């Protein structure tokens, strides 16, 4: 167990984010907990959302994730929806869907046929994802029209689509609006074929931040529940629920021209270096070197090669003596702008930073 390097996840802040999102509309919230709840821990987050926030449906990416949740929390009073890797065509796995509250999102014709033709799956709710222009997963409108007659008796429990560009500022007639037009056509195709659709959803964080696609049954926030904004300019002012804390392992002064660490990375100026015990085996991001960040009020830059177990922070020479081995530092904190800025500095997105915190970093849960 590591004591001074950990990811502190504050569940009280998660609840505040949840309530803020809820105040935007009357839509029900279907939180996404895929990828270990964006690195925050799928078990603790799922339990908290269900037990403290009255969530009844959670979204994950694979059947394995859903089974993991039910293995760890057999009494969880919620449905898990499997959005991408449902493995629904594998007859050996059909029992899982038939016996547990796990629902596959059917996103291609073969998925729908597997469900319609396998008697073991005769009771599971039909949940369809439509491709409205992202061109990743989803039935085309033509495929939907062909399948519609076969769906008449069972009806569609939940019809959904996913936006490709909702993290851009929305404008009339843009990609997201065109996707909404296509989604409306999908609804009409089913209606005209006499297929009842009970529930719908379209919005992920970028759309929710901009209050777009809120007039469906559900909204599906992922990122914004956990902190960072996804739209520029930043409008979401929720909390970053996690704080990545570590400490300084060692400090030393470098003279201009001194090589540091593996390879030949030479200090360009006289400076002050702090080594921190976070390497690529702790934060799995390969583009960290060169990132600028603030460390306890001092400007720092991640310098030279990031190693498996540690990284170098370089400071102006004047910082020497102001930081020392053992000092705690926050790599990111509960201000959601810190991680958003760090992601830009590391030439990536907050999603990757959060999912990149490996299981070598303990998760510690706080309720406030
Ligand atoms: C991941 C995902 C979401 C949540 O996306 P965020 O941008 O994290 O809010 C919503 N819907 C689907 C289908 C997803 O795969």
């Amino acid at each position: 167990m590591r004591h001074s390097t950990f990811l502190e996840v504050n569940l009280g802040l998660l609840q505040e984010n949840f309530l803020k999102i809820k105040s935007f509309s009357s839509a029900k919230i279907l939180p996404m907990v895929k990828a270990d709840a964006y690195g925050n821990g799928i078990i603790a987050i799922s339990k908290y959302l269900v037990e403290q926030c009255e969530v009844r449906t959670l979204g994950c990416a694979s059947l394995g994730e859903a089974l993991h949740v039910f293995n760890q929390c057999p009494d969880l009073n919620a449905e898990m929806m499997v959005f991408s890797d449902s493995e629904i065509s594998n007859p050996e796995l059909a029992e899982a869907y038939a016996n547990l509250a796990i629902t596959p999102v059917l996103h291609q014709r073969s998925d729908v046929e597997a469900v319609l033709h396998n008697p073991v799956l005769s009771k599971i709710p039909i949940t369809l994802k439509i491709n409205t222009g992202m061109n990743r997963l989803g039935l085309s409108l033509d495929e939907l029209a062909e399948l519609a007659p076969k769906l008449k008796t069972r009806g569609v429990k939940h019809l959904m689509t996913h936006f490709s560009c909702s993290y851009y500022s929305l404008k009339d007639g843009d990609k997201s609006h065109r996707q909404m037009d296509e989604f409306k056509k999908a609804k009409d195709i089913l209606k005209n074929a006499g297929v009842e659709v009970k529930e719908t959803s379209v919005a992920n964080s970028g759309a929710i931040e901009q209050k777009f696609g809120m007039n469906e049954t559900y909204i599906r926030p992922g990122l914004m529940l956990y902190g960072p904004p996804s739209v520029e300019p930043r409008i979401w002012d929720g909390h970053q629920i996690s704080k990545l804390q570590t400490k300084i392992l060692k400090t030393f002064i470098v003279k201009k021209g001194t090589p540091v660490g593996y390879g030949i990375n030479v200090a360009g100026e006289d400076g002050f270096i702090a080594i921190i015990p976070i390497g690529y085996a702790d934060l799995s991001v390969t583009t960290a070197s060169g990132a600028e960040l603030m460390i306890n009020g001092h400007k720092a830059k991640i310098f030279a090669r990031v190693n498996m177990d540690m990284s170098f922070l370089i400071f102006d020479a004047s910082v020497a003596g102001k930081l020392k081995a053992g000092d705690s530092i926050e790599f990111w904190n509960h201000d959601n702008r810190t991680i958003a800025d760090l992601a830009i500095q590391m030439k990536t997105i907050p999603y990757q930073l959060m999912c990149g915190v490996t299981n070598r970093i303990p998760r510690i849960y706080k309720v406030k």
Side-chain angles (χ1 to χ4, degrees):
M1 180 67 180
R2 299 173 81 176
H3 292 280
S4 47
T5 296
F6 52 86
L7 187 79
E8 184 179 294
V9 178
N10 188 317
L11 298 169
L13 297 180
L14 172 66
Q15 185 172 43
E16 285 183 23
N17 288 347
F18 182 90
L19 292 174
K20 192 175 278 186
I21 295 167
K22 201 172 152 135
S23 73
F24 286 0
S25 77
S26 56
K28 291 195 245 183
I29 300 184
L30 193 170
M32 300 304 293
V33 294
K34 60 192 177 187
D36 209 19
Y38 293 54
N40 293 289
I42 191 170
I43 300 301
I45 298 289
S46 299
K47 275 184 77 143
Y48 190 82
L49 287 168
V50 172
E51 291 167 8
Q52 305 298 324
C53 303
E54 296 175 7
V55 162
R56 287 291 160 265
T57 312
L58 296 161
C60 61
S62 66
L63 175 61
E65 288 175 335
L67 288 174
H68 174 61
V69 169
F70 282 120
N71 282 335
Q72 298 296 310
C73 321
D75 300 327
L76 193 77
N77 182 18
E79 172 196 17
M80 300 285 309
M81 280 176 60
V82 179
F83 276 77
S84 40
D85 187 14
S86 70
E87 309 195 56
I88 193 68
S89 305
N90 183 341
E92 289 173 25
L93 300 172
E95 294 286 338
Y97 288 105
N99 299 334
L100 295 166
I102 305 178
T103 302
V105 173
L106 310 175
H107 58 70
Q108 55 190 331
R109 187 200 295 257
S110 58
D111 291 352
V112 181
E113 278 162 2
V115 170
L116 294 177
H117 298 143
N118 185 344
V120 176
L121 299 172
S122 65
K123 296 252 161 38
I124 69 156
I126 303 282
T127 295
L128 300 181
K129 186 189 258 184
I130 306 301
N131 175 16
T132 53
M134 179 167 185
N135 299 324
R136 188 176 64 173
L137 303 180
L139 299 165
S140 69
L141 296 186
D142 288 344
E143 288 172 318
L144 183 67
E146 274 174 48
L147 287 165
K150 298 190 203 168
L151 298 169
K152 213 169 156 177
T153 42
R154 274 169 87 165
V156 170
K157 168 85 182 312
H158 189 146
L159 187 74
M160 69 176 68
T161 192
H162 192 52
F163 294 125
S164 59
C165 294
S166 64
Y167 58 91
Y168 292 123
S169 277
L170 287 161
K171 293 181 187 63
D172 278 348
D174 68 3
K175 180 73 185 277
S176 300
H177 285 83
R178 294 200 301 278
Q179 287 193 253
M180 276 304 267
D181 294 342
E182 292 296 294
F183 191 61
K184 169 95 180 20
K185 288 184 200 161
K187 288 179 181 172
D188 289 343
I189 286 169
L190 291 172
K191 195 171 172 193
N192 295 336
V195 181
E196 189 197 355
V197 175
K198 285 214 174 67
E199 301 174 339
T200 56
S201 69
V202 296
N204 62 343
S205 294
I208 298 166
E209 280 177 58
Q210 305 184 75
K211 309 214 173 70
F212 184 72
M214 309 295 278
N215 296 324
E216 313 292 331
T217 321
Y218 288 95
I219 52 178
R220 305 191 307 259
L223 190 72
M224 70 191 305
L225 267 176
Y226 309 112
S230 57
V231 181
E232 290 284 347
R234 295 170 195 175
I235 41 182
W236 173 238
D237 62 349
H239 309 285
Q240 175 66 23
I241 71 163
S242 70
K243 176 171 94 168
L244 180 56
Q245 186 163 321
T246 185
K247 64 163 178 217
I248 294 174
L249 199 61
K250 178 188 170 179
T251 63
F252 56 95
I253 289 167
V254 279
K255 289 283 165 210
K256 180 175 173 178
T258 309
V260 176
Y262 287 122
I264 301 165
N265 293 289
V266 170
E269 300 294 336
D270 290 355
F272 177 65
I273 286 188
I275 301 178
I276 57 169
I278 290 198
Y280 58 76
D282 303 289
L283 183 63
S284 178
V285 174
T286 55
T287 47
S289 190
E292 290 179 5
L293 65 170
M294 291 299 285
I295 297 292
N296 297 359
H298 304 286
K299 251 197 206 167
K301 192 179 202 170
I302 299 177
F303 180 62
R305 284 209 198 170
V306 172
N307 300 176
M308 182 184 286
D309 307 315
M310 58 199 111
S311 320
F312 300 97
L313 296 173
I314 194 163
F315 298 85
D316 187 84
S318 65
V319 178
K322 295 184 182 154
L323 295 171
K324 59 179 189 313
D327 286 357
S328 293
I329 61 176
E330 287 172 353
F331 217 63
W332 65 69
N333 56 26
H334 292 308
D335 179 345
N336 76 11
R337 286 164 304 184
T338 313
I339 190 166
D341 288 338
L342 191 62
I344 292 169
Q345 285 292 322
M346 292 188 173
K347 302 180 184 66
T348 180
I349 50 177
Y351 296 82
Q352 196 192 14
L353 290 191
M354 291 162 61
C355 295
V357 179
T358 69
N359 58 15
R360 201 158 81 162
I361 306 271
R363 270 65 171 171
I364 291 174
Y365 295 94
K366 262 181 90 167
V367 181
K368 261 269 174 77

